[in-house]
Amino acid sequence: MWKAVLECHERQLSAMRDSRIHLLKARTISESSAAARATLELERELSKWYRCFNKWISTQRAYVEALNGWLRKWFPEVQDEQDAPDGVPPFSPGKLGARPIFVISNDWFRAIELVPKNDTLKSIDYFSKLVHEFRRSQEDEHRQRRRADHASRDYKRKREVLQRELGVSSSTDMVAVTEHAPPGHDDRVIELQKLRKRRDDERARHNEVMKHTHFAAAATLPVGFVPLLEQMVSFFQGNQQVYMRIRINGAHLGSSATHLG
């Protein structure tokens, strides 16, 4: 199992490293409502991944601990397990001449304790937080885009009305009138100037939000997903190595491994 999952994550990591993820740009909500749904779904899947991974490893560990504890009851003379000063555990079923099931159980219990899950869980959680921040930046972009569009419509509607009232022939001429109008020339022109400034300000804010959104998109995979895959590879490599040291029928699963206890 460990080998199969390890190979899967190694292929994923290799594919990500070979891809051009640094060139990714965000798909905004303004461009497609599917972008928001996809990001939200990814965030939910990462939360589910965290829970399932944690439950999987915890359940396996609890099962092995219970099994090993039950089998150790056959050795009432053995006290609670504590490592000796030289690091060698005092309880060694093999040295006591126990049957293989006791040796396997004890090795399995020690193996599963040697590779902690916390670093892997932290990596999943960190990637999930990056995706959440990206989703928030998508939502910010959508809100700012709506403000910019609303300001543009207000300016255009007011300009067209004033253009008819002043008898200006084209929108270009109307822009020239508002740009060169002296202060206090006409309240209507002053109002139009304010609307144009509001439109320009909202557009500038939208451009800044878009830059942040694209930056968040570009950083999410190399900063969050690639380190997560690296941690996954490290976790399953560690498990594969310690499981190769479990003794079965007096032999190791790995020919060059050292036994666990």
Side-chain angles (χ1 to χ4, degrees):
M1 175 187 70
W2 300 112
K3 181 179 180 181
V5 180
L6 171 60
E7 290 175 350
C8 176
H9 287 306
E10 285 177 334
R11 288 194 294 269
Q12 290 176 325
L13 179 60
S14 177
M16 290 300 299
R17 285 174 172 170
D18 293 341
S19 66
R20 304 173 70 181
I21 54 177
H22 62 286
L23 299 178
L24 288 177
K25 287 190 176 182
R27 187 77 181 261
T28 64
I29 300 176
S30 300
E31 295 170 333
S32 171
S33 59
R37 294 194 298 271
T39 307
L40 179 59
E41 185 63 25
L42 175 58
E43 190 177 346
R44 289 172 175 170
E45 287 298 320
L46 287 172
S47 178
K48 185 187 300 182
W49 188 10
Y50 182 98
R51 294 194 304 270
C52 291
F53 182 83
N54 186 35
K55 184 177 181 180
W56 176 43
I57 300 302
S58 297
T59 301
Q60 184 179 173
R61 184 166 298 176
Y63 171 78
V64 176
E65 184 177 2
L67 176 63
N68 193 60
W70 179 76
L71 289 173
R72 284 190 59 185
K73 291 181 179 180
W74 293 91
F75 297 91
E77 69 278 7
V78 177
Q79 302 299 318
D80 290 340
E81 186 175 347
Q82 292 182 349
D83 286 347
D86 60 357
V88 179
F91 176 57
S92 179
K95 293 180 180 179
L96 295 175
R99 292 180 178 275
I101 182 61
F102 294 92
V103 178
I104 295 171
S105 174
N106 190 60
D107 283 1
W108 190 6
F109 175 72
R110 293 191 170 282
I112 206 168
E113 291 291 330
L114 289 175
V115 186
K117 63 179 180 178
N118 291 340
D119 289 342
T120 305
L121 290 172
K122 288 179 181 178
S123 294
I124 300 175
D125 183 59
Y126 181 66
F127 182 42
S128 180
K129 289 178 179 178
L130 288 178
V131 173
H132 177 73
E133 288 301 316
F134 172 56
R135 182 169 64 84
R136 290 185 60 184
S137 70
Q138 284 182 310
E139 294 170 348
D140 290 343
E141 182 278 330
H142 185 56
R143 283 191 294 268
Q144 188 55 45
R145 176 64 179 270
R146 294 181 63 180
R147 293 192 187 102
D149 289 345
H150 183 70
S152 295
R153 287 194 298 269
D154 286 349
Y155 170 74
K156 182 180 179 181
R157 183 165 52 249
K158 184 68 175 179
R159 187 196 65 202
E160 291 174 347
V161 171
L162 188 56
Q163 183 177 330
R164 290 194 298 269
E165 291 177 353
L166 297 180
V168 179
S169 59
S170 67
S171 58
T172 303
D173 293 337
M174 191 64 219
V175 171
V177 170
T178 58
E179 288 180 348
H180 299 96
H185 172 69
D186 189 319
D187 290 343
R188 295 172 299 175
V189 175
I190 294 174
E191 181 64 24
L192 185 62
Q193 290 173 335
K194 291 179 180 179
L195 290 175
R196 185 182 64 189
K197 184 178 185 305
R198 176 170 169 265
R199 179 204 63 182
D200 294 343
D201 289 346
E202 295 294 353
R203 284 179 174 178
R205 292 190 187 98
H206 179 254
N207 288 336
E208 287 301 315
V209 173
M210 278 295 297
K211 290 179 182 178
H212 176 74
T213 303
H214 287 310
F215 176 80
T220 298
L221 293 181
V223 177
F225 191 44
V226 171
L228 168 56
L229 289 177
E230 291 173 342
Q231 185 59 47
M232 279 289 179
V233 168
S234 176
F235 176 81
F236 285 102
Q237 281 179 338
N239 274 285
Q240 184 181 26
Q241 290 170 1
V242 296
Y243 270 74
M244 293 293 285
R245 293 160 60 185
I246 295 177
R247 291 162 291 173
I248 297 180
N249 295 331
H252 299 294
L253 292 177
S255 57
S256 60
T258 304
H259 64 75
L260 293 164

